[in-house]
Amino acid sequence: MAVSSNDVATTAGLTLNPAQVSQVQMWITDAQMLIRIRADRERVDVASLDSSVVDYVVRQAVAALVKKPDAAKEVSVQVDDGQVSKKFESATGQIEITPEWWELLFPAGRGSSFSISLSHS
């Protein structure tokens, strides 16, 4: 699992300033921690996960958070008699791994601890 702030910036299509680099590095660590916690809950050795899938999920989750608008809730621009306003959702600062990404990491129906044969001999 090796994702860098440069990987996230490339995925997001942005250039990060030094403060953003620190934030992105923390979010990468957070996303990796969430994956480890889920792996423990699923009783899966995190080392057995496909590292390219883990890296993809971490990059996508962090890039999605980076691309969210800043904490401004509303921006208004007024020129002469005209005015334009735009409302934004504020970024929560929390990593969210979507259900689709969890499914990539922990596919439903992957091996189970036992199996039952339904055929009669």
Side-chain angles (χ1 to χ4, degrees), residues 67-118:
K67 290 191 286 187
K68 282 188 177 180
D70 63 14
K73 293 198 184 246
E74 184 172 355
V75 175
S76 297
V77 177
Q78 183 171 353
V79 177
D80 296 331
D81 292 336
Q83 181 176 352
V84 176
S85 295
K86 174 109 178 165
K87 291 186 179 190
F88 296 100
E89 292 181 29
S90 64
T92 64
Q94 294 180 337
I95 290 294
E96 179 184 353
I97 299 178
T98 66
E100 293 82 12
W101 295 333
W102 284 125
E103 180 66 22
L104 288 174
L105 291 165
F106 305 100
R110 70 179 188 284
S112 60
S113 57
F114 64 91
S115 62
I116 300 172
S117 174
L118 298 177

Side-chain angles (χ1 to χ4, degrees), residues 13-93:
L14 301 171
T15 301
L16 303 176
N17 66 43
Q20 289 171 313
V21 168
S22 294
Q23 182 68 63
V24 164
Q25 289 171 338
M26 185 175 68
W27 285 335
I28 290 168
T29 301
D30 291 350
Q32 291 169 336
M33 175 198 65
L34 292 173
I35 292 168
R36 280 192 306 275
I37 290 169
R38 182 71 168 260
D40 286 347
R41 199 176 315 143
E42 297 279 335
R43 298 173 194 251
V44 172
D45 180 10
V46 79
S48 71
L49 297 175
D50 183 332
S51 63
S52 63
V53 174
V54 172
D55 290 350
Y56 170 81
V57 170
V58 170
R59 273 193 319 271
Q60 294 301 320
V62 176
L65 191 53
V66 168
K67 290 191 286 187
K68 282 188 177 180
D70 63 14
K73 293 198 184 246
E74 184 172 355
V75 175
S76 297
V77 177
Q78 183 171 353
V79 177
D80 296 331
D81 292 336
Q83 181 176 352
V84 176
S85 295
K86 174 109 178 165
K87 291 186 179 190
F88 296 100
E89 292 181 29
S90 64
T92 64

